[in-house]
Amino acid sequence: MARRPDEEYDYLFKVVLIGDSGVGKSNLLSRFTRNEFCLESKSTIGVEFATRTLQVEGRTIKAQIWDTAGQERYRAITSAYYRGALGALLVYDVTKPTTFENVSRWLKELRDHADANIVIMLIGNKTDLKHLRAVAVEDAQSFAEREGLSFIETSALEAVNVEKSFQTILGEIYRIISKKSISGGETGPASIKQGETLVVGAQDGNTKKTCCSSS
Amino acid sequence: MEKKRVDESLQVPAPGRVDRFGFVKQEHNSPDGLSRNKSALEYQREQKRLRKWRKMIGVGGSDWKHYVRRKPHVVKRRIRKGIPDCLRGLVWQLISGSRDLLLMNPGVYEQLVIYETSASELDIIRDISRTFPSHVFYQQRHGPGQRSLYNVLKAYSVYDREVGYVQGMGYLAGLLLLYMSEEDAFWLVVALLKGAVHAPMEGLYLEGLPLVQQYLFQFDRLMREYMPKLGEHFTEEMINPSMYGSQWFITVFSYSFPFHLALRIWDVFLYEGVKIVFKVGLALLKYCHDDLVKLPFEKLIHALRNFPDDAMNPDVLLPMAYSFKVSKRLEELEQEYEKIHGKVAESKAKQKQPQLT
Ligand SMILES: Nc1nc2c(ncn2[C@@H]2O[C@H](COP(=O)(O)OP(=O)(O)OP(=O)(O)O)[C@@H](O)[C@H]2O)c(=O)[nH]1
Ligand SMILES: [Mg+2]
């Protein structure tokens, strides 16, 4: 079977989208992967999944993104998906202070269930609703600094900073991974299966192969 | 996810723009198997079927219980062929046991709606416009559809504070409200979650979602027994049932399946219980088996969430579903699951009625 060009990539990075229900996780994902937005999207039941391949720092990166249900009760199902993720986009809604207050609880979730060196990016979404803003940029910014997270504000509706947020986190993951390979943290070019992989190079021999493990 | 106009229009779409169930038609509408014109013969057959059903039910359901006791198999067979749409609401209430709950609890619903407050109110409001967003009944902001949906969900979250409100319940209530009044829909939700006739569903929504976990375990095993080759392929590709099956159980196929198919599944679900969810799930996998075994991880995930249109035809899918015999295995697998994980908790509040299955 001939591999189609869109399936060639240097790295495969698994990323999870987390945060309270209704903050716009699914719309950030659909904006990023299909350039679509939906004002009345259904709430996510369980998990959804999408991918996009893009250029980051001159490399072809395939982002495999898991979008999870935000309601607390669903963590029983969704927390299993944190494992093996290299990055987490932790989203809150800039018009809803409680979704920002809950960010600490989401960080704890990650500490309990995700790999220790997962790259986390804090995202304040819905900046288009200017008149409803209730979380100041500065507060989020300083919180992110204290916790060592990168931070960005987005609007999935107006497609502002969505691309940039994914680019940034994928770039950060890439830098960590490539540093690791140089410093000898490299595992053999084993072909790890995609479902659970931390990072995989392209599976077959017809693309450049780079393979590392993050833990 | 529905694509919708981005403007927040309040106007109700013209009748030609909605399908026969009230959903706004998508531009590239997939065939729903119903839009084609009916032949005279089909029409006659339908009228005959309706007469049989009316006789079976009696005025306002008066003959129903008697008929079911005398000829349960006739009832089962007819339900599997689909309940006539104009009788659906009434029949659903009769077979689910909700009618009895309603009669035994006069005034309770009103009390719950008007006088009680719920800790879940904001969560419910947040999801109201995200439930069946493409159905005309639920599109108007604060319109009658949204208000009823809110009332039923709020009432339930007060009635059963341990379950409260969980995303997905809106689809249950939303589907029922298209066929019956608020109070009737509320008691039907109660009948389902508390197990008036079949095993209680509340474990699907309780803390930890214990019943979801159990059902997914059972489904995974059944699927491997019936389709070993696909099972092996899923293992290799690291597909597990929570990636595609959670919403099948949590919303009984009402979340993302075509509505005409969901209704046919619900007809059987209310009469025969959750078994049908397993059977339909198995039928879906079997129908697509030869494609699925060839697909790599990502395409698999996509295929498991986007079944082809021809698989969505109830008259093809359901007979296939009925051909799976699962009752005995389900029981054994439940015991096996309990041995590993302990018994799946039911809410501490005692069930309203004994389980009759
Ligand atoms: N104004 C505005 N609305 C948005 C934006 N992003 C999402 N929304 C709206 O917010 C609501 C919730 O969006 P979702 O993407 O479904 O939220 P979610 O985080 O996936 O929610 P769960 O699946 O329940 O966890 C929808 O009505 C969206 O249209 C945004 O950038 N601006
Ligand atoms: Mg979502």
Side-chain angles (χ1 to χ4, degrees):
Chain A
M1 241 190 302
R3 179 192 284 278
R4 293 211 320 274
D6 64 303
E7 290 177 341
E8 284 174 15
Y9 49 83
D10 300 317
Y11 291 93
L12 175 71
F13 292 162
K14 173 177 163 181
V15 174
V16 289
L17 267 164
I18 60 171
D20 282 6
S21 179
V23 297
K25 299 179 294 295
S26 298
N27 276 287
L28 284 167
L29 181 63
S30 64
R31 178 61 83 192
F32 178 63
T33 56
R34 302 193 302 276
N35 201 17
E36 280 174 17
F37 178 85
C38 171
L39 202 57
E40 261 138 30
S41 56
K42 296 175 179 177
S43 57
T44 305
I45 306 284
V47 291
E48 298 281 347
F49 170 86
T51 64
R52 196 183 127 189
T53 303
L54 68 167
Q55 293 294 316
V56 179
E57 320 230 337
R59 296 301 188 135
T60 308
I61 307 266
K62 180 166 193 165
Q64 187 185 78
I65 305 149
W66 293 90
D67 171 25
T68 61
Q71 199 184 15
E72 185 150 1
R73 200 74 57 94
Y74 276 97
R75 290 185 202 171
I77 298 181
T78 54
S79 60
Y81 288 82
Y82 303 166
R83 202 155 35 89
L86 291 170
L89 295 167
L90 203 178
V91 188
Y92 69 91
D93 176 343
V94 298
T95 71
K96 297 232 161 60
T98 50
T99 67
F100 179 63
E101 285 150 25
N102 284 337
V103 164
S104 326
R105 291 167 66 184
W106 285 106
L107 286 175
K108 183 173 180 311
E109 276 288 299
L110 286 174
R111 275 198 293 276
D112 292 347
H113 300 279
D115 299 338
N117 39 13
I118 189 169
V119 177
I120 306 167
M121 176 167 211
L122 182 65
I123 295 185
N125 187 41
K126 306 198 188 181
T127 51
D128 54 281
L129 299 172
K130 293 188 183 68
H131 54 299
L132 295 174
R133 178 187 282 273
V135 180
V137 193
E138 298 76 30
D139 293 348
Q141 183 82 57
S142 56
F143 176 86
E145 271 163 31
R146 272 201 311 281
E147 298 286 338
L149 324 171
S150 42
F151 168 68
I152 196 169
E153 285 194 335
T154 58
S155 164
L157 187 150
E158 293 181 342
V160 173
N161 279 348
V162 178
E163 191 73 20
K164 192 172 165 201
S165 62
F166 281 90
Q167 279 275 353
T168 309
I169 192 165
L170 294 171
E172 265 179 63
I173 296 171
Y174 170 71
R175 275 190 298 280
I176 291 172
I177 294 298
S178 50
K179 222 182 280 159
K180 234 192 210 165
S181 346
I182 293 165
S183 66
E186 201 171 5
T187 56
S191 176
I192 311 163
K193 268 291 179 209
Q194 299 184 356
E196 226 190 37
T197 325
L198 309 178
V199 196
V200 223
Q203 312 122 310
D204 295 340
N206 57 358
T207 45
K208 287 164 279 174
K209 190 170 277 186
T210 323
C211 202
C212 344
S213 154
S214 84
S215 46
Chain B
M1 214 191 285
E2 263 85 351
K3 251 183 257 170
K4 237 204 90 196
R5 290 147 299 147
V6 169
D7 64 82
E8 268 189 79
S9 57
L10 289 177
Q11 76 267 36
V12 174
R17 296 219 40 237
V18 299
D19 71 13
R20 78 169 219 172
F21 295 113
F23 285 87
V24 177
K25 286 179 186 162
Q26 312 276 292
E27 273 64 33
H28 43 87
N29 210 5
S30 60
D32 62 0
L34 295 159
S35 41
R36 72 203 151 83
N37 289 327
K38 289 203 176 79
S39 70
L41 187 72
E42 271 176 284
Y43 179 77
Q44 271 176 9
R45 202 180 292 151
E46 214 160 84
Q47 289 304 310
K48 201 172 141 210
R49 197 164 72 95
L50 201 53
R51 278 198 298 277
K52 277 195 214 163
W53 268 92
R54 286 198 198 283
K55 199 164 147 243
M56 187 159 75
I57 296 169
V59 181
S62 54
D63 294 343
W64 176 258
K65 279 192 176 157
H66 185 60
Y67 200 102
V68 173
R69 215 170 297 127
R70 263 185 25 241
K71 298 184 175 168
H73 292 288
V74 176
V75 175
K76 180 168 162 180
R77 199 177 63 230
R78 287 192 183 157
I79 287 179
R80 283 184 169 203
K81 286 186 191 158
I83 300 168
D85 206 50
C86 59
L87 297 175
R88 215 165 227 142
L90 174 60
V91 175
W92 280 2
Q93 293 173 58
L94 296 171
I95 58 186
S96 65
S98 74
R99 194 32 89 79
D100 298 330
L101 288 175
L102 170 79
L103 297 174
M104 287 184 311
N105 295 281
V108 170
Y109 177 72
E110 196 188 330
Q111 171 76 26
L112 294 168
V113 170
I114 300 178
Y115 299 105
E116 305 278 351
T117 54
S118 157
S120 312
E121 280 167 23
L122 290 176
D123 289 350
I124 297 170
I125 289 169
R126 182 197 58 216
D127 285 342
I128 287 296
S129 63
R130 307 166 76 203
T131 309
F132 290 120
S134 66
H135 195 285
V136 278
F137 189 52
Y138 298 115
Q139 280 187 337
Q140 195 187 348
R141 202 162 284 269
H142 311 300
Q146 294 199 354
R147 271 202 311 264
S148 318
L149 186 56
Y150 173 78
N151 288 343
V152 171
L153 292 171
K154 189 205 109 177
Y156 192 84
S157 71
V158 177
Y159 178 84
D160 181 350
R161 292 191 191 264
E162 220 184 319
V163 166
Y165 165 72
V166 181
Q167 291 179 328
M169 288 167 67
Y171 280 83
L172 266 56
L175 179 116
L176 296 172
L177 280 168
L178 296 175
Y179 284 89
M180 60 193 75
S181 75
E182 262 181 61
E183 189 172 14
D184 293 335
F186 169 77
W187 288 109
L188 214 158
V189 174
V190 173
L192 287 175
L193 269 69
K194 295 297 171 189
V197 177
H198 299 288
M201 278 172 80
E202 61 189 356
L204 289 173
Y205 310 102
L206 285 168
E207 189 63 48
L209 313 182
L211 201 53
V212 179
Q213 317 250 23
Q214 181 199 307
Y215 285 165
L216 292 177
F217 168 87
Q218 290 169 296
F219 184 79
D220 195 47
R221 290 289 296 274
L222 275 177
M223 169 255 157
R224 285 164 193 281
E225 287 166 15
Y226 276 108
M227 289 162 265
K229 198 170 152 204
L230 187 62
E232 222 165 90
H233 184 57
F234 277 12
T235 306
E236 272 167 23
E237 295 296 326
M238 298 192 176
I239 296 282
N240 74 59
S242 83
M243 293 173 183
Y244 59 90
S246 319
Q247 32 158 297
W248 295 356
F249 290 104
I250 291 171
T251 68
V252 193
F253 287 108
S254 62
Y255 177 73
S256 60
F257 281 74
F259 199 67
H260 68 282
L261 174 61
L263 291 172
R264 290 285 303 274
I265 296 173
W266 272 72
D267 291 345
V268 183
F269 167 67
L270 293 173
Y271 193 63
E272 300 182 32
V274 72
K275 271 185 313 199
I276 190 65
V277 180
F278 286 91
K279 292 179 182 197
V280 170
L282 290 169
L284 283 167
L285 296 185
K286 186 173 171 202
Y287 188 90
C288 304
H289 180 276
D290 296 351
D291 294 324
L292 295 176
V293 288
K294 288 187 220 132
L295 297 177
F297 179 74
E298 278 160 26
K299 295 211 168 102
L300 255 179
I301 298 252
H302 184 79
L304 289 167
R305 293 171 162 278
N306 300 276
F307 289 97
D309 283 344
D310 46 326
M312 296 292 111
N313 179 350
D315 296 317
V316 173
L317 189 67
L318 291 180
M320 203 174 208
Y322 303 145
S323 74
F324 287 99
K325 303 290 171 232
V326 298
S327 306
K328 187 154 160 284
R329 264 319 265 156
L330 277 180
E331 254 170 54
E332 292 164 0
L333 289 168
E334 181 179 340
Q335 283 163 12
E336 197 174 315
Y337 184 83
E338 281 169 5
K339 243 182 245 155
I340 311 169
H341 300 272
K343 193 163 168 53
V344 164
E346 280 165 18
S347 78
K348 283 143 219 156
K350 213 44 222 142
Q351 282 170 230
K352 284 266 165 316
Q353 283 196 357
Q355 206 177 304
L356 302 174
T357 8

